[in-house]
Amino acid sequence: MGEVMMTPSQVSAGELLQLIRSGRANTRADLQRATGLSRSTIGARLDVLNRAGWLRHTAGTSTGGRPSHRIVFDPTHASVIAVDLETRHARAAVLDLAGTILAEHTGPLRITDGPDDVLDRLAAWFPDLIGAAGVDATHVRGIGLSVPGPVDWETGRIIEPPIMPGWDRYPVRERLQKAYADHVGTGPDEEPIPVFVDNDANLMALAEHQANHRDSAAFVLVKVSTGIGAGVVVGGDVYRGIDGGAGDIGHIRLHDRLDALCMCGSYGCLAAVASGLALARELSALGFDTASGSDVKRALAEGHPDAIRLAREAGRRAGEVLVTVVTLLNPGVLMLAGDLSGVPFMAGVRELLYQRAMPRTTANLQVVTSRLGDHAGVIGAASMVVEFLYSPDRADARLNRLAL
């Protein structure tokens, strides 16, 4: 299907920026062809973007061999803070607008200590982090927070998270804004810093898709750590469902394990059988010092036979659920990430997928592991901030304020 030309009268500076950021149009001639705007109008709207400092012009070569000027988004004109909050630790980073990490800090932080304490301690990291990144605090444009629980995207509130006691419907955005103001100062334009919150698997999927799998029209990432969750990217956008519950596959029930009590209070959930926490409990009963998915990861790295056996069986149990997932979504890529995503778990998933799914479903399916590793969460959280702040409507609103 051919590309639809925009109506010229409706093409704003923010729309031009979207074309430039996506790579669909990076010269004045490209912008004219894509929008139907006159050269003078293109020039006027580019001037607005240039005055804001959002563009960079580089020399290039046209198809006719004559010099041309490429217009690209300047990712260094501002920064964002991204936080990947896990159950027992957190990773915080300052990144530029292209997702390049400028500085990062990882430290212990127990999610069970509750939102008020955790968010304030996170914000206490920010001044040193901003200093280490070599950026001015006034250039930080927003904060992205990745959390291990379902999130209502519109409100930014975490909804009934099984492994986050005390966080249900807590005003995370507002509390983190206050903590940032207490430790760093107010946000840009003397307003509260924009804060965005989403589920960790969603943000990891967004980061991995943008970095290495943009050509995959349907992409699924399954994170297996303390719990189990999935992030789905369809047509380049994260699919969240109607209230952020999409991808919560850890609470699909297994018919033959109704004896397994899950942290959500139900019996037989996949997470109660195949998550890092479930395997930690099984290994602990065998005499291992394991209490979480990261402990299981260590046991697997050390090559303990019991850990390898249990991880492969956990992969098979996850595969039982993923057969339905790939049959329903028909993704081009199924990516495994998190503490358990090594060879034994992968082997178990593959075994069940290829045994039970229709050949047509798996014929063009790539089953892979994470390439961004431990940084997927912060890169995805940063991307969430950038995609929102520089969307056409938001960009135009900010440009109008800068012009006042």
Side-chain angles (χ1 to χ4, degrees), residues 80-84 91-95 126 129 142-146 377-383 385:
V80 297
I81 293 174
V83 178
D84 184 13
R91 181 186 303 272
V94 176
L95 304 91
F126 294 165
L129 197 57
I143 301 172
L145 177 63
S146 165
V378 291
I379 293 173
S383 180
V385 177

Side-chain angles (χ1 to χ4, degrees), residues 295-304 307-308 339:
D295 294 332
V296 177
K297 181 179 181 179
R298 186 185 67 249
L300 287 168
E302 292 171 355
H304 292 292
I308 292 170
D339 292 330

Side-chain angles (χ1 to χ4, degrees), residues 149-151 157-164 167-169 248 251 264:
V151 177
R157 299 200 176 191
I158 302 161
I159 308 299
E160 300 178 8
I163 60 175
M164 300 176 69
W167 291 77
D168 184 27
R169 293 176 173 81
D248 203 4
H251 300 286
C264 73

